[in-house]
């Protein structure tokens, strides 16, 4: 079983829609969690960290449920520029160490 | 430079040849990672350096793969006797230990083994 599992999609939504992505991690020792964004043929870039209390950054909200080993990302008021692949990432250490990536969820926002 | 630099950006090699991929991390970043990514998949961990030493090399698929970081800065990923299955984008990332956990990735080296 992979360390981090994601539904690969694709998700195709109209501009202005709300879309949610889910991710599960298999190792309860995982301590740090992130969402990365990857545009086509580009490198991954950090979108946001995920905290136990949940956190919000503009239109993006991330949630962590440690009991269920589940992470989510909610995008409100989708923009065309949100079209990308969203990678769920877990880290067993509190700071550094091996980062485990999911396979990514592809999002296309259409006008 | 301001970001992580990887060279070459593209490499085409014949099956059985030896290749070296180079990564220049952000200056001062102590942690350096190598990942590889195949089409439609997430980055797959290969090796992680803390300074000059490999802190975790458990992701290297076999002994044809080797990586070094002799001075704690630039790293080289070396692949011997390349196989077609080695074709992928090889990504390098670095992290500043004292500034949180954001991994900054280079644009990758696209390796094609023909």
């Amino acid at each position: 079983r992979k360390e981090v599992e994601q539904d690969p999609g694709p998700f195709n939504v109209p501009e202005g829609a709300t879309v949610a992505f889910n991710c599960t991690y298999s190792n309860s020792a995982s301590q740090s969690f992130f969402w990365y964004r990857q545009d086509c043929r580009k490198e991954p870039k950090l979108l946001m960290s995920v905290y136990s209390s949940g956190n919000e950054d503009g239109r993006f909200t991330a949630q962590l449920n440690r009991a269920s080993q589940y992470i989510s990302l909610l995008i409100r008021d989708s923009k065309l520029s949100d079209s990308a692949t969203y990678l769920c990432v877990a880290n067993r250490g509190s700071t550094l160490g091996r980062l485990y990536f999911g396979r990514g969820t592809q999002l296309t926002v259409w006008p | 430079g301001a970001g992580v630099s990887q060279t070459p950006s593209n490499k085409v090699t014949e099956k059985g040849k030896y290749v070296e991929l180079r990564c220049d991390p952000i200056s001062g970043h102590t942690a350096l990672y190598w990942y590889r990514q195949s089409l439609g998949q997430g980055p797959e961990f290969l090796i992680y350096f803390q300074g000059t030493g490999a802190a975790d090399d458990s992701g290297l698929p076999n002994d044809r793969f080797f990586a070094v970081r002799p001075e704690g800065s630039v790293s080289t990923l070396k692949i011997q006797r390349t196989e077609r299955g080695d074709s992928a984008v090889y990504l390098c990332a670095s992290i500043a230990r004292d500034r949180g956990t954001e991994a900054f990735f280079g644009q990758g080296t696209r390796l094609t083994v023909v």
Side-chain angles (χ1 to χ4, degrees):
Chain A
R1 184 183 173 189
K2 296 199 81 169
E3 186 93 6
V4 177
E5 300 267 12
Q6 284 183 261
D7 177 354
F11 286 68
N12 298 301
V13 302
E15 264 188 301
T18 295
V19 61
F21 306 138
N22 303 317
C23 159
T24 57
Y25 60 96
S26 61
N27 195 315
S28 59
S30 297
Q31 296 189 33
S32 307
F33 306 92
F34 312 91
W35 283 100
Y36 275 72
R37 171 192 168 128
Q38 187 171 27
D39 293 299
C40 188
R41 299 179 77 88
K42 297 288 189 181
E43 73 275 21
K45 292 184 179 178
L46 180 67
L47 177 67
M48 59 198 301
S49 301
V50 185
Y51 303 117
S52 295
S53 54
N55 48 300
E56 189 173 307
D57 183 1
R59 297 181 294 108
F60 299 84
T61 300
Q63 296 278 355
L64 167 64
N65 183 321
R66 288 190 185 273
S68 302
Q69 296 183 197
Y70 171 97
I71 303 158
S72 65
L73 177 68
L74 183 77
I75 305 175
R76 291 182 300 279
D77 188 24
S78 299
K79 311 291 185 191
L80 297 177
S81 57
D82 294 335
S83 298
T85 295
Y86 291 82
L87 297 160
C88 178
V89 184
N91 181 347
R92 290 185 191 174
S94 57
T95 53
L96 299 176
R98 178 173 176 171
L99 299 175
Y100 294 86
F101 284 79
R103 65 179 293 184
T105 298
Q106 186 180 342
L107 171 67
T108 300
V109 181
W110 46 273
Chain B
V4 178
S5 174
Q6 290 188 248
T7 54
S9 54
N10 281 283
K11 176 73 177 176
V12 180
T13 191
E14 291 181 347
K15 180 175 177 296
K17 298 289 188 184
Y18 168 82
V19 295
E20 288 190 353
L21 312 180
R22 176 187 167 109
C23 173
D24 241 302
I26 294 172
S27 177
H29 281 198
T30 56
L32 184 148
Y33 299 78
W34 283 100
Y35 283 81
R36 72 176 175 182
Q37 188 173 25
S38 301
L39 194 62
Q41 301 296 318
E44 174 194 10
F45 173 80
L46 296 177
I47 186 169
Y48 152 56
F49 287 92
Q50 184 59 257
T52 60
D56 183 351
D57 65 356
S58 61
L60 295 176
N62 51 59
D63 62 6
R64 295 187 299 106
F65 289 75
F66 189 70
V68 295
R69 194 186 185 200
E71 297 177 359
S73 178
V74 171
S75 176
T76 305
L77 178 65
K78 309 180 182 195
I79 310 174
Q80 298 178 319
R81 304 184 304 280
T82 50
E83 300 177 357
R84 292 198 178 87
D86 298 335
S87 297
V89 176
Y90 288 79
L91 293 164
C92 176
S94 69
I95 294 180
R97 185 186 180 93
D98 59 350
R99 296 181 194 172
T101 55
E102 179 174 357
F104 292 86
F105 282 84
Q107 293 203 329
T109 293
R110 184 173 300 275
L111 176 67
T112 304
V113 182
V114 296

